[in-house]
Amino acid sequence: MSKHGFKITTETIAESCLLGSLNLLIEALKILFSVLLPEARHIDRVQKFIAGGIFMDPKTVLRFAVDQQVKFVDLRFTDLVGQWHHMTFPIGQLKEDSFVEGFGFDASSLRGWAAINESDMLLIPDSSRFWIDPFFEEPTLCMFADVADPITKESYPFDPRAVAKRAENYLVHTGIADLVYFGPEAEFFVLDRVRYQNDPHHSFYEIDSGEGHWNSGRESNNLGYRIRSKEGYVPVPPTDSLQDLRSEIALNLMDLGIEAECHHHEVASGGQCEIDFRFSNLLTTADNVMLFKYVVRNTTHVYGKAATFMPKPIFGDNGSGMHCHQSLWKSGRPLFPGDEYAGLSKIALHYIGGLLKHAPAIAAFAAPTTNSYKRLVPGFEAPVNLAYSRRNRSAAVRIPMYSQSPNAKRIEFRPPDPSCNPYLAFAAMMMAGLDGIQNKIEPGEPLDKDIYDLPAEELQKVPRLPGSLEESLRALESDHEFLLKGDVFSEELVSRWIEYKSRKEVDLLRQRPHPLEFAMYFDI
């Protein structure tokens, strides 16, 4: 019997489930939390965490919608490029058969998707995860949705989430492992003002942040605390002016079942931040990245600011990356700890070998914008060197050494940035690593030397990432067989990606005069 006069037993919790009311279960767990963890704060968040974090079936979703007096259902899905989209329906439209029959929509206007003559598609709600949107005024139940062909009911070939699902299935099929964990560190900038325009005769961009060192001479609202270029790593307030905003983002994430682990200011001036959340399996982590970016953007918007995951918005300062921690497990046992270099196993070294061999092709998915390669510039801290090291952060693969626990042994692939489509990028990384294991690809010698002290002739022996999106797309075109195993990717998807990125991004930028060209060439 607890101090609340309610006996907490497993039978109580089971009974609450059988009664068909999530509210009883939630209240029981609230009391259980308060008894076992009396010092715990935010017990009222348990209800929101359950909605965002426990895997359920369609009946549970419908009961929850009734219990919470939900008025709308919002289905979230991701296009080929990685943009999140949604469609909203009155809650009465959501029936149990909706989770099989889906909701029709027109896919022809989405980037990289169907042609106008084959545009009808279905959104199939995924009942395994749902949450109440914290930013909508009306109570709105949200779910991830898979995209399916309305005739065959099979997954749409260009649905990125389907690629992630096929990747996890292929992993199990190989027998090498049954689980891959991903833990991304997505950096972003918080800005106070953003302006840009591109006309045939006129183009510019202008961004501003109250933290920017360029505002040190501002006459109004100036108390002198500014972050110098490349000196923004973890200062305390008032220099770090975004503490409360990041905390609010972290709380919003936890409300939705994403466990925030740490947040801090990042290196760059002008409002660069990082908020880390707990790792999970490939599909769940990719879902979490999409939800994470949504929460960051909308919480920041509430504060009257704008967040961007653009890799390099500010010249001369650090860009935003998304370092991806990865590990393989089988039957509950980690496969990466061992007696080799940095405490790794042979399997882990071969996984690294696959990542390094296929890194130029992976970059087409993991660093997929023209702006990405303004971050990945040799001679700075960017991870452009196709090598591995236990500490060297200019290497493409780093082995974290914070913990001696076998369960914490992992590798960190550093070239990706948060502009990527996480479903495609994570799947490509895993497929490269598996190819390394299957073919016993050796990663070579580790690069533990200071890259800046290496003689020029020795540095030339270290291979590098492509220097542009165009080069990465060429690498993908010539090296993508490893992605086709298990039908995880398809020739059609790879070709569509290369064609879209080349025509809609590379060529578009190449054809446009740049303001810097006027400074360099106008009077030539």
Side-chain angles (χ1 to χ4, degrees), residues 12 20 30 65 72 106 170 288 309 333-334 383 387 430 462 467 481 502:
T12 304
K30 283 184 183 180
F72 294 93
D106 176 8
Y170 174 69
N288 284 345
F309 292 92
R333 183 175 64 88
M430 189 205 75
V462 180
E481 288 295 323
S502 297

Side-chain angles (χ1 to χ4, degrees), residues 283-399:
L283 177 64
T284 300
T285 302
D287 285 344
N288 284 345
V289 169
M290 300 306 298
L291 190 50
F292 169 82
K293 293 171 76 171
Y294 176 80
V295 169
V296 168
R297 288 192 178 108
N298 281 277
T299 308
T300 304
H301 187 73
V302 170
Y303 273 65
K305 300 176 184 291
T308 180
F309 292 92
M310 186 177 177
K312 188 73 170 181
I314 299 176
F315 171 71
D317 215 330
N318 283 37
S320 292
M322 190 175 75
H323 309 150
C324 291
H325 296 253
Q326 303 163 50
S327 64
L328 293 178
W329 291 61
K330 187 174 185 179
S331 301
R333 183 175 64 88
L335 300 184
F336 278 6
D339 299 323
E340 303 293 328
Y341 172 81
L344 293 175
S345 64
K346 268 292 186 183
I347 283 181
L349 288 175
H350 290 153
Y351 189 98
I352 292 172
L355 281 174
L356 294 178
K357 176 183 177 180
H358 299 297
I362 296 171
F365 290 114
T369 68
T370 58
N371 187 253
S372 299
Y373 298 85
K374 292 176 171 61
R375 165 185 170 252
L376 296 172
V377 177
F380 297 92
E381 296 180 17
V384 298
N385 300 294
L386 296 181
Y388 68 105
S389 173
R390 74 182 83 202
R391 289 180 180 174
N392 194 333
R393 292 174 184 267
S394 67
V397 176
R398 187 178 75 92
I399 299 94

Side-chain angles (χ1 to χ4, degrees), residues 182-188 233-234 246-247 249-251 253-254 257-266 273-280 285 288-289 292 296 309 321-325 393 398 402 410 412 414 418:
F182 274 85
E185 301 172 348
E187 298 166 340
F188 57 94
Y233 191 66
V234 297
R246 291 195 307 271
S247 292
I249 293 170
L251 291 174
L253 290 171
M254 289 187 284
I258 298 177
E259 183 180 347
E261 293 187 321
C262 174
H263 72 74
H264 58 84
H265 203 286
E266 259 298 343
C273 298
E274 180 177 316
I275 301 175
D276 298 332
F277 56 86
R278 187 168 178 78
F279 63 88
S280 190
T285 302
N288 284 345
V289 169
F292 169 82
V296 168
F309 292 92
M322 190 175 75
H323 309 150
C324 291
H325 296 253
R393 292 174 184 267
R398 187 178 75 92
Y402 301 122
R410 61 195 187 275
E412 176 191 24
R414 296 174 62 81

